[in-house]
Amino acid sequence: MSQSINQSRRNLFSRRKSNVTRPPWSKVDEQFTDNCTRCNKCITACETNIIKQGDGGFPEIDFSLGECTFCQLCVDACPEPVFDLTQPLPWSITASIKDSCLTYQGVWCQSCKDACDPRAISFVMAVGQVPKPVIDTDACTGCGACVSPCPADAIQICNSG
């Protein structure tokens, strides 16, 4: 009995890993939220307006609003130590296709491919079927350009690491 109470207390005070996407080059979530003052300078600086105020007032990315161009304006605007430009990649996220993709219902659609500048999305032809999307996760930058044009809300950007 007391073991389950102790476990509950530990869970109460332990930090949970956030499932939100922070701006590119953000430090790990705990370091980000510990140092971010929620001044909104990164939100104001974002050239594509995809950074919004999320839970607790912390900035997060909303790819339904557009894509990240990796312009670094959010990094430049921030006076706090929440970004790390020495990281080899701006973030470790990639696109994935959900079951709601129109091609799985036999509808010809390639809006995600058309929006993908790095050409990470291709379509595989099959006899008697509409082409199905395939994402090259090595080529995907996680920019989110494919998210908002999708008419079926079938693309999600998630952690690849």
Side-chain angles (χ1 to χ4, degrees):
M1 179 81 156
S2 68
Q3 185 178 13
S4 68
I5 292 172
N6 287 337
Q7 184 65 32
S8 295
R9 285 184 186 149
R10 258 184 257 124
N11 289 340
L12 178 66
F13 295 109
S14 69
R15 294 187 181 210
R16 287 178 286 159
K17 177 118 172 94
S18 174
N19 62 351
V20 301
T21 300
R22 299 286 178 215
W25 296 285
S26 292
K27 292 183 178 179
V28 294
D29 205 47
E30 286 179 4
Q31 292 175 347
F32 186 89
T33 56
D34 283 352
N35 292 297
C36 177
T37 62
R38 298 170 273 198
C39 68
N40 295 334
K41 289 180 181 175
C42 61
I43 294 171
T44 304
C46 181
E47 71 177 12
T48 57
N49 298 310
I50 64 166
I51 304 175
K52 67 175 191 174
Q53 197 173 52
D55 286 343
F58 293 104
E60 59 187 57
I61 302 294
D62 183 349
F63 289 115
S64 70
L65 303 173
E67 68 183 283
C68 181
T69 61
F70 306 108
C71 66
Q72 295 184 16
L73 291 174
C74 56
V75 177
D76 295 340
C78 182
E80 304 303 327
V82 297
F83 294 103
D84 180 6
L85 287 173
T86 65
Q87 296 178 69
L89 297 171
W91 46 32
S92 60
I93 55 175
T94 56
S96 65
I97 308 292
K98 298 190 282 189
D99 291 339
S100 58
C101 178
L102 294 176
T103 63
Y104 300 141
Q105 280 80 50
V107 177
W108 188 291
C109 178
Q110 294 188 0
S111 61
C112 56
K113 176 184 173 189
D114 295 340
C116 183
D117 282 341
R119 299 293 174 225
I121 302 174
S122 60
F123 279 75
V124 177
M125 301 294 280
V127 177
Q129 298 179 356
V130 298
K132 302 289 189 282
V134 175
I135 297 178
D136 177 353
T137 55
D138 290 333
C140 180
T141 63
C143 71
C146 55
V147 174
S148 65
C150 179
D153 189 30
I155 307 224
Q156 65 185 7
I157 305 293
C158 49
N159 196 331
S160 61

